Amino acid sequence: MPLKASHALPPKSRLGQNFLHDHAAIERIVDALGPLDQRTVVEIGPGRGAITDLLATRAERLIAVEVDPALAAALRERFAMTQAQIMQPRVEIVEQDVLTFDFAAASRQIGQPLLVVGNLPYYITSPILLHLAASVVASEPSPLDAAVLMVQREVADRVTAQPETRDYGLLTVLCALHGIATPLFTLPPDAFSPPPEVHSTVFRWRFAPRFQALDLDAASFSRLLKSAFAQKRKTLSNNLRAAGYTAAHIAQALHQTSTPPQARAEELSLDQFAALHHALTAAQ
Ligand code: SAM
């Protein structure tokens, strides 16, 4: 049976399939990756290939990871034809859940840090961000250079928030720990087909992990952050009490780091959290 062209396949909302059709936005996303002629790009969720087509003309090599078998097959057929003409297999369509994709292994195989791009499936935005962060921590040197990602506007607001603002939280500090996130631009729902219910924002995440500079163990520091932000309305001190630290232990660590006793987690920068972590660990 012949394959259906990707546009003949009905979108699957359970896979977050909202296809981008704003050509200016596609150009801006690919431009935001910088020069690509000597780079390998991994695209998360290529879908019907809106961004993939432009990436394929610019990148030295492209790995597109798509979980939907029908879309992956349609893309594979399309690029196989193009590549047969130019005799240079540069585009690889991988049918896989991106949450199981081994970025570190791909980077090792290619011998350079990867660039990542994607109009993300919104139902798994946070797991994808955490998977990228974990890939950066797990291997040295970093297998990832930068990512340009489209996410729900509210998530981008949280990722790129400043301390003491409503959106500042666990996701902000975790992303800051792994690099620098900068918002680029926002699109309305009608830039997509079918339109999602939310606005979408593209942000760039330049990976520059700070664990070594701040002398932090990734696992225990992540545990502290999760405890600190566990309940937004509670003070930092009360959240740490709930996580099992004694009142005296917390008071001493807050004093040592000049943190006010009534401070909430959203008032602390990454560096202040690192200092607090060291004080709590030293006082144990
Ligand atoms: N890049 C295309 C575009 O901009 O039009 C499609 C973007 S659409 C928002 C998200 C894409 O991610 C869909 O093609 C969907 O099938 C794919 N997807 C969903 N879950 C995935 C997963 N776990 N791993 C890889 N791709 C996934």
Side-chain angles (χ1 to χ4, degrees), residues 136 175-180 207-216 269-271 274:
V136 167
C175 287
L177 190 55
H178 297 85
I180 298 164
F207 295 101
R210 297 199 55 210
F211 289 98
Q212 277 188 352
L214 295 172
D215 191 21
L216 294 169
S269 67
L270 171 59
D271 291 68

Side-chain angles (χ1 to χ4, degrees), residues 12 14-21 26 29 43-52 65-68 71 94 96-100 118-124 128 150 192-193:
K12 299 183 181 107
R14 72 183 163 79
L15 288 179
Q17 291 181 355
N18 300 96
F19 299 109
L20 182 59
H21 57 68
I26 293 168
I29 290 170
E43 185 186 4
I44 300 173
R48 292 175 174 169
I51 307 171
T52 326
V65 185
E66 172 58 61
V67 80
D68 182 331
L71 287 178
V94 179
Q96 189 176 335
D97 177 352
V98 71
L99 297 178
T100 66
N119 168 15
L120 298 189
Y122 293 172
Y123 75 105
I124 45 167
I128 292 176
M150 170 107 67
F192 305 84
S193 170

Side-chain angles (χ1 to χ4, degrees), residues 220-232:
S220 72
F221 188 58
S222 296
R223 273 198 301 278
L224 169 71
L225 292 178
K226 281 182 193 145
S227 308
F229 284 105
Q231 296 224 25
K232 259 208 141 176

Side-chain angles (χ1 to χ4, degrees), residues 94-148:
V94 179
E95 185 191 315
Q96 189 176 335
D97 177 352
V98 71
L99 297 178
T100 66
F101 183 78
D102 189 339
F103 286 93
S107 165
R108 267 197 306 277
Q109 195 211 338
I110 285 147
Q112 59 168 230
L114 307 167
L115 291 169
V116 179
V117 68
N119 168 15
L120 298 189
Y122 293 172
Y123 75 105
I124 45 167
T125 301
S126 292
I128 292 176
L129 298 183
L130 295 177
H131 182 51
L132 294 175
S135 308
V136 167
V137 176
S139 127
E140 180 72 35
S142 172
L144 305 181
D145 189 350
V148 173

Side-chain angles (χ1 to χ4, degrees), residues 5 22 54 60 121 130 151 157 179 196 214 218 255:
D22 178 327
L54 184 56
E60 182 179 31
L130 295 177
V151 298
D157 288 347
L214 295 172
H255 177 72

